Amino acid sequence: MIAIAAAVVWVTRREAIRGTVVSPIDSLDAQTAFAQGGRLGTAGRHVASIPYFRRATTAGMGEQWEGRINLAAALINAALEVDSRLGKADPALRSSYERVQSVVDGMGEARQAMKVARDSRARAYTAYQDAQNLQAWGFAWDALAVAQVAQSLDPAWEPPRRLILELQRDLARGGVAP
Amino acid sequence: MTRVHFGRARIFALALAISGCGNPVPDRSETRAPLSPDSIPDAYARPSGALIAAGATRGFQVDEHGDLYDGEWKVVFTPTADGQPATPPRTIAALDRWRPVLQWVRHAGDVTWEFEAVAVPERAPRDTVLVVSLLVRARNTGAAPHRAELSVTLAPPDPDPVFVAWDARDNPRVALRWASGTARDTALAWCGEKVTGATFTAATTLAPGAVFERRLLFPTYPTADHLLARHARFSHARRVSEALQSANAALAGGTSFALPDSEVVSAMNAARLLLLACRERRGGAWVPIGNPFQYRDVWLRDGARVAHALAITGYGSAAREMMAGFIGFQWPNGAFLSQRGQLDGTGQALWAFEQVLLRGARPEELDPYIAAGQRAWRWIEWQRTAGRTSGTREGESVQTLRFGTMLPFAEPRDGELVRAQLTGNDAWAIAGERALERMLRARGRAASADSVARDRARYTDDFIAALARTGLDYVPPSWQGIGRDWGNLAVGWPCAVLPPGDPRLAATARRAWEQAGEIGLTVYGHRDSLHGYVGNDLATWALLTGWTAPADSMLDAMLHWRTASGTAAELFSRAGDFGRNLPPHPTAAAALLAQVRNRLIYDDIDTLRLTLGARRSWWQGSQVKGAPTWWGPIDLEFQHGNNQVTWRWTPVPVWTVLTLPPDAILTGPPPAPLVAQGRDRVLAPPGTREATVRAVSPTN
């Protein structure tokens, strides 16, 4: 009976320890996590930056446009990231299943960013990023529609206009280079 | 005498002359009989093998040197005799060219080194790992004693590896360690004794006729010593026996194809086991992988073919689990896309839903897929509206886009290998709308189905009009006329955008076969690059037109271009060099399965077609059991002899078209209510379960 009780205590403690194991990232404050995510993202390590940006949103930046839009960008860029493993360049994420999930998550974060954007430029930037993402994955008409939204949100901002012209030109030519 | 039975008439067993169709487990008693893998043919320039299992996230490739590689480390074997290294293996063969036990032989003078390996999957949830059980046996076939020595070294990958596992560790690299019985550590190999360093060595002097053997274990991931020791408690012979029984059970779970054609049956067995093995789990769903090695990723264009092939050969449950995985590829806009620029994914996903779910799913299982399909349909039609209503300004006037009613341009980085508006994307989208329509009708949602049908009809008209605008008499790879043949080859089948008799399909096929220099197998990009499966769509289209020669040629090619383990590569030179595109390729396996099944039972229309392309030898007497169709599972038996052709099959509520054997023609009108359709086909009304007609082969 004592042996059984000891075993129960041991198992219970082991489960309790497992339950309390946390990532060091989860102890970071929002600004520290955000800064580290930014460093990794700037270095092209988008997959690695995701937990930091995610931490930033849960630790206080969830209602800030910068927090949401950077997490969105990290998730979207992660799907295009190439990593070198044992000397071979391969997608950083395991398969297209994970890549699509990451982009879809990123687009969801972008929608959250749009809700908390404080000005028209931030809203236009959010839509513009979405349009670029759609363009990169091959959704030309979708990209054009969203780029037009971006332009309407901030007509004075040049990038959406340029993207619209590029997409219109490519769509008219069926994608074929002149 | 011509007989026909209807309704509840008894089905009498045909006298079948079947050979090579059973799957008995070979006797695995410890006879130590010499292995003879080199008697099994391999069409490729260098041998290779795959030790893989469903759910496992890595597998071992057996390369042309007889070494193992799992994407993170190699296991290098150096067998010698009297210091002389053994030759590389000539073949790496599966038992009977399909069973999941690989064998290869290396020679060093009088000493023959035999290798036998089998993948042992762990039970879920540890099924991401598999352990290879390998038996090495040295046999002195000479008249004098010889010193036999075996070194097995754990080594890092080659400097330029063909593939690397997605979860391989770069820093720190994995420790190249052999298990020792008591250590609390993880290891990459087990040999039953303590090994210092990365190399295990065993040596002995073999008297004439003597045999020496060692059993080794190799997990695909670093595995605890004690777990490997636990694995070692089960003998290699037992592991082999379990693998053979497991394979037989897997085949027994699908449609039974008892054909008097051992090559075809063997190829189908290998193909089905491959498709079942090339699956990975994602939560509760499964996804089909493009290849266990260098294409360990998911493509909807390949996955749809794999799911279809599994569904029509009796693996509805596995195929349905894949459809749950496909849902993960739907984007917020409604499109399905797995890889950048591959817009054919939307149509392929919907087509796969239909092909899989309408063959045996419970009606209510359709609903989430119909909902997903409706979002996809709206995306397709929105694309077409955007294109139709857009234009380019030229001076004061606005010109509509030349191919604005077709899907926009894309760059798939595969297939057509061009940035343009691809005809295949539209063909698949039309097929996807047809699939959605059928699923809606299956659920009694006629109004919604009619809406989709109207859009599909308009889309088809627009497709035909766009074809006319190209000025070409064939279906080009892109509306702009550029690119490699790919999705355009699917326009006739399976997309069925144009009827089989449309001359543009014949011209498309003729063009593809001219590029290949032969009818059947097609080439990709270069005349010397044979493609293992993409031409099968043309072959199946030809079958539907009643032209069997292309399908015969394609099937012959698919049977020829097999490894010694019965699987195929995707791309290879005419000399059989597959380069870095390692076999096995699941889509090639799916093509073979689809063609054979469609030759026997074709149900992708409102009519059941039987023996559409049954080969001459199959008419000695063949039997198919448990084939899923739109109308439920059916059995089929057919035979030709003494100028009499007989079919027996499970009755269906639609008309059945029975195709006579090659070159056979009716000697007169079939008995009512059978109806002749030309001289080589017979129509049977709904409910028919048996038909016998008199026919002769004029060439005989």
Side-chain angles (χ1 to χ4, degrees):
Chain A
M1 182 63 80
I2 290 170
I4 292 170
V8 168
V9 169
W10 182 76
V11 168
T12 308
R13 283 196 58 201
R14 192 176 63 167
E15 292 306 311
I17 291 166
R18 278 183 182 169
T20 58
V21 170
V22 292
S23 161
I25 299 170
D26 291 341
S27 62
L28 298 178
D29 64 72
Q31 289 305 322
T32 305
F34 184 78
Q36 180 60 16
R39 277 190 287 274
L40 288 165
T42 305
R45 298 181 58 198
H46 306 290
V47 175
S49 76
I50 291 170
Y52 290 94
F53 284 128
R54 216 182 272 288
R55 169 62 188 166
T57 59
T58 58
M61 293 185 71
E63 296 302 311
Q64 292 180 33
W65 179 78
E66 286 80 1
R68 291 290 181 184
I69 196 67
N70 278 288
L71 175 55
L75 287 161
I76 288 167
N77 289 332
L80 303 179
E81 184 178 337
V82 172
D83 198 8
S84 176
R85 282 189 288 273
L86 301 178
K88 187 170 185 300
D90 274 324
L93 293 180
R94 177 181 176 185
S95 78
S96 61
Y97 189 88
E98 285 73 20
R99 291 192 287 277
V100 170
Q101 294 297 311
S102 189
V103 175
V104 170
D105 285 353
M107 294 171 83
E109 286 298 331
R111 284 194 294 276
Q112 295 299 318
M114 188 67 95
K115 288 180 186 169
V116 296
R118 60 183 167 277
D119 57 26
S120 58
R121 175 60 55 88
R123 282 188 286 277
Y125 184 94
T126 307
Y128 174 67
Q129 179 181 276
D130 197 17
Q132 284 185 307
N133 172 47
L134 290 164
Q135 181 192 34
W137 281 84
F139 294 118
W141 285 120
D142 306 72
L144 177 62
V146 178
Q148 287 167 337
V149 170
Q151 189 185 35
S152 70
L153 290 167
D154 187 352
W157 193 38
E158 187 65 11
R161 198 182 67 80
R162 281 202 298 269
L163 181 56
I164 288 168
L165 290 174
E166 179 188 336
L167 286 162
Q168 285 175 331
R169 183 201 64 205
D170 287 348
L171 283 160
R173 290 177 182 153
V176 179
Chain B
M1 186 182 72
T2 307
R3 293 178 295 125
V4 60
H5 296 282
F6 300 102
R8 300 177 65 82
R10 267 180 76 194
I11 293 181
F12 296 92
L14 291 169
L16 296 173
I18 296 171
S19 61
C21 55
N23 301 323
V25 176
D27 179 10
R28 296 301 309 161
S29 58
E30 291 285 332
T31 59
R32 290 190 172 189
L35 306 182
S36 55
D38 290 351
S39 65
I40 296 180
D42 189 326
Y44 297 100
R46 63 180 207 268
S48 74
L51 293 160
I52 54 179
T57 52
R58 288 186 187 179
F60 271 112
Q61 183 216 3
V62 188
D63 69 15
E64 68 266 35
H65 307 294
D67 299 332
L68 307 184
Y69 176 52
D70 77 339
E72 188 166 9
W73 65 84
K74 290 184 72 173
V75 184
V76 179
F77 294 84
T78 312
T80 65
D82 303 326
Q84 175 191 350
T87 58
R90 200 174 70 75
T91 55
I92 295 157
L95 276 178
D96 299 331
R97 215 180 181 185
W98 65 268
R99 299 182 196 272
V101 179
L102 296 185
Q103 298 178 337
W104 61 99
V105 173
R106 302 175 65 176
H107 300 279
D110 288 337
V111 176
T112 301
W113 288 92
E114 301 171 353
F115 295 78
E116 182 178 77
V118 62
V120 181
E122 292 272 20
R123 288 194 180 146
R126 293 201 73 249
D127 57 358
T128 50
V129 182
L130 63 80
V131 176
V132 166
S133 175
L134 189 142
L135 193 73
V136 189
R137 186 179 291 148
R139 187 187 303 276
N140 184 353
T141 62
H146 291 289
R147 180 74 177 165
E149 184 171 314
L150 173 71
S151 293
V152 185
T153 301
L154 303 172
D158 294 334
D160 181 22
V162 177
F163 67 99
V164 169
W166 69 278
D167 51 358
R169 289 188 308 180
D170 239 335
N171 188 21
R173 289 205 174 181
V174 68
L176 303 171
R177 179 180 171 274
W178 288 80
S180 83
T182 55
R184 293 174 65 86
D185 204 343
T186 58
L188 312 186
W190 176 95
C191 62
E193 59 188 73
K194 190 171 174 58
V195 176
T196 304
T199 301
F200 157 71
T201 303
T204 190
T205 299
L206 286 173
V211 169
F212 152 78
E213 67 181 31
R214 292 303 300 244
R215 200 269 179 106
L216 306 165
L217 297 176
F218 302 105
T220 51
Y221 284 89
T223 299
D225 287 21
H226 73 275
L227 289 176
L228 289 173
R230 191 184 298 168
H231 263 279
R233 286 185 212 147
F234 300 92
S235 71
H236 179 76
R238 176 169 167 170
R239 292 306 198 190
V240 167
S241 176
E242 287 170 350
L244 295 172
Q245 288 175 16
S246 173
N248 276 354
L251 292 178
T255 303
S256 162
F257 295 92
L259 310 175
D261 187 337
S262 58
E263 280 298 287
V264 167
V265 172
S266 164
M268 291 185 77
N269 289 345
R272 291 196 285 177
L273 293 178
L274 177 66
L275 298 194
L276 291 170
C278 285
R279 295 179 296 149
E280 284 185 357
R281 210 188 292 276
R282 294 292 191 279
W286 287 77
V287 291
I289 53 171
N291 174 282
F293 304 127
Q294 79 280 1
Y295 294 148
R296 196 156 196 127
D297 202 327
V298 188
W299 284 260
L300 283 170
R301 55 179 50 182
D302 294 280
R305 304 295 190 134
V306 167
H308 166 253
L310 285 172
I312 62 173
T313 55
Y315 298 95
S317 176
R320 287 194 291 277
E321 288 168 341
M322 286 182 185
M323 296 305 92
F326 275 23
I327 287 290
F329 290 98
Q330 188 163 34
W331 286 58
N333 59 7
F336 284 84
L337 188 84
S338 57
Q339 308 281 345
R340 291 166 68 194
Q342 297 184 3
L343 299 187
D344 51 359
T346 301
Q348 284 156 347
L350 269 59
W351 175 77
F353 292 162
E354 171 215 31
Q355 295 290 320
V356 170
L357 299 166
L358 290 187
R359 288 190 174 96
R362 294 191 312 277
E364 62 272 20
E365 282 184 76
L366 288 172
D367 293 343
Y369 297 95
I370 288 175
Q374 286 179 304
R375 291 179 53 218
W377 161 52
R378 284 191 279 272
W379 175 79
I380 292 168
E381 290 302 320
W382 181 80
Q383 301 290 297
R384 287 175 18 81
T385 301
R388 189 186 302 114
T389 56
S390 299
T392 55
R393 190 174 298 281
E394 295 186 9
E396 291 302 306
S397 64
V398 174
Q399 299 286 316
T400 56
L401 301 184
R402 188 152 186 247
F403 298 106
T405 54
M406 300 291 104
L407 289 181
F409 73 90
E411 187 172 6
R413 299 169 173 81
D414 185 10
E416 293 86 350
L417 215 61
V418 73
R419 186 178 192 243
Q421 285 178 275
L422 309 179
T423 52
N425 290 349
D426 293 294
W428 278 109
I430 291 169
E433 292 193 341
R434 185 190 62 211
L436 176 61
E437 178 197 337
R438 283 186 183 172
M439 290 194 290
L440 285 162
R441 293 203 194 285
R443 289 296 277 153
R445 297 170 60 179
S448 297
D450 290 345
S451 294
V452 178
R454 280 192 293 274
D455 280 343
R456 178 172 62 83
R458 274 194 293 267
Y459 200 167
T460 304
D461 290 345
D462 289 341
F463 186 97
I464 291 168
L467 266 183
R469 279 198 295 282
T470 65
L472 302 169
D473 65 353
Y474 61 91
V475 183
S478 70
W479 295 112
Q480 286 72 30
I482 54 177
R484 297 183 179 185
D485 285 330
W486 190 263
N488 56 323
L489 305 185
V491 168
W493 187 85
C495 296
V497 178
L498 301 175
D502 191 295
R504 285 163 292 200
L505 296 178
T508 307
R510 205 163 43 239
R511 179 173 169 271
W513 293 331
E514 277 172 8
Q515 287 171 1
E518 59 186 298
I519 286 178
L521 212 59
T522 55
V523 296
Y524 182 73
H526 188 275
R527 197 179 177 89
D528 191 43
S529 291
L530 294 171
H531 198 285
Y533 58 83
V534 74
N536 192 52
D537 289 349
L538 294 179
T540 307
W541 157 80
L543 267 184
L544 294 174
T545 67
W547 188 20
T548 54
D552 287 341
S553 175
M554 184 76 198
L555 183 54
D556 286 342
M558 288 195 287
L559 292 173
H560 170 75
W561 288 109
R562 283 183 295 153
T563 63
S565 48
T567 57
E570 182 185 38
L571 265 179
F572 42 90
S573 70
R574 290 178 192 272
D577 183 5
F578 49 72
R580 295 167 74 91
N581 197 337
L582 304 173
H585 200 286
T587 315
L592 177 110
L593 290 172
Q595 189 188 126
V596 175
R597 198 278 197 175
N598 285 331
R599 281 170 173 269
L600 294 162
I601 298 170
Y602 185 86
D603 65 328
D604 202 7
I605 39 175
D606 55 4
T607 306
L608 174 66
R609 296 196 191 192
L610 300 179
T611 58
L612 178 61
R615 302 186 109 181
R616 199 183 311 275
S617 66
W618 301 357
W619 286 96
Q620 293 168 35
S622 292
Q623 196 175 59
V624 180
K625 284 190 174 172
T629 70
W630 302 131
W631 312 285
I634 69 166
D635 298 341
L636 165 68
E637 297 175 9
F638 59 94
Q639 192 172 27
H640 180 207
N642 300 323
N643 293 337
Q644 185 167 286
V645 183
T646 306
W647 298 264
R648 293 192 178 91
W649 71 101
T650 309
V652 293
V654 294
W655 284 79
T656 300
V657 180
L658 308 164
T659 301
L660 269 61
D663 301 330
I665 56 172
L666 293 167
T667 55
L674 296 181
V675 180
Q677 189 183 50
R679 298 182 72 187
D680 60 355
R681 291 181 188 185
V682 175
L683 288 173
T688 308
R689 62 173 66 229
E690 182 177 358
T692 301
V693 298
R694 295 197 67 80
V696 294
S697 299
T699 52
N700 293 336

